[in-house]
Amino acid sequence: MKQKGLFDKESLLSNKKSEIAELLGILIGDGHLHKTENRLVISGSLDDFDYYVYYIIPLFDKLFNDFPKLIKNKYKHSYHLVIENKEIFDFFHKELQLKRGRKLFK
């Protein structure tokens, strides 16, 4: 059994390009890299519950061997999918060169 959060970035970049591209699209459209913490956040409607639970969370597990937390924000009627893992954060920030902050592309 692999240790939580351990993954082979070379293998991801060569063998899992479509899955990584999909996560990039999700992050660019509905997410961000936290400005000061090693945290990825994806936000969406309460209607997206099944999409988070049955697609995005398993995709993170498949690629990174780690499960994001799904947090309900009752004040904004939305969900936040949050993953705090330095290696995963660095993969998106350093390897894929995504910027920190609320909007990835301005």
Side-chain angles (χ1 to χ4, degrees):
M1 180 170 184
K2 287 176 63 176
Q3 186 177 353
K4 178 182 169 189
L6 290 182
F7 60 95
D8 179 8
K9 67 181 174 184
E10 311 309 329
S11 175
L12 283 180
L13 292 171
S14 61
N15 300 324
K16 304 291 184 187
K17 290 179 185 176
S18 63
E19 289 100 335
I20 293 299
E22 181 140 17
L23 279 180
L24 277 173
I26 293 167
L27 274 169
I28 290 168
D30 295 325
H32 66 276
L33 303 183
H34 194 274
K35 192 167 187 157
T36 59
E37 304 292 329
N38 294 322
R39 181 182 311 147
L40 284 77
V41 180
I42 300 168
S43 300
S45 164
L46 293 177
D47 296 333
D48 294 333
F49 178 79
D50 287 344
Y51 179 61
Y52 284 124
V53 171
Y54 298 112
Y55 188 74
I56 298 177
I57 292 173
L59 186 57
F60 268 98
D61 180 43
K62 176 182 174 184
L63 297 175
F64 301 107
N65 197 38
D66 203 350
F67 288 93
K69 295 177 188 169
L70 187 60
I71 301 166
K72 185 176 180 181
N73 184 332
K74 64 182 178 180
Y75 300 107
K76 293 187 178 180
H77 304 289
S78 63
Y79 283 111
H80 301 290
L81 189 119
V82 178
I83 190 157
E84 295 188 56
N85 179 298
K86 183 170 177 24
E87 289 75 23
I88 296 171
F89 183 89
D90 284 346
F91 178 77
F92 284 96
H93 182 56
K94 294 179 180 176
E95 288 294 320
L96 302 179
Q97 301 181 354
L98 295 182
K99 296 183 190 310
R100 289 179 174 265
R102 288 257 172 197
K103 280 294 172 191
L104 294 174
F105 296 97
K106 293 182 180 180

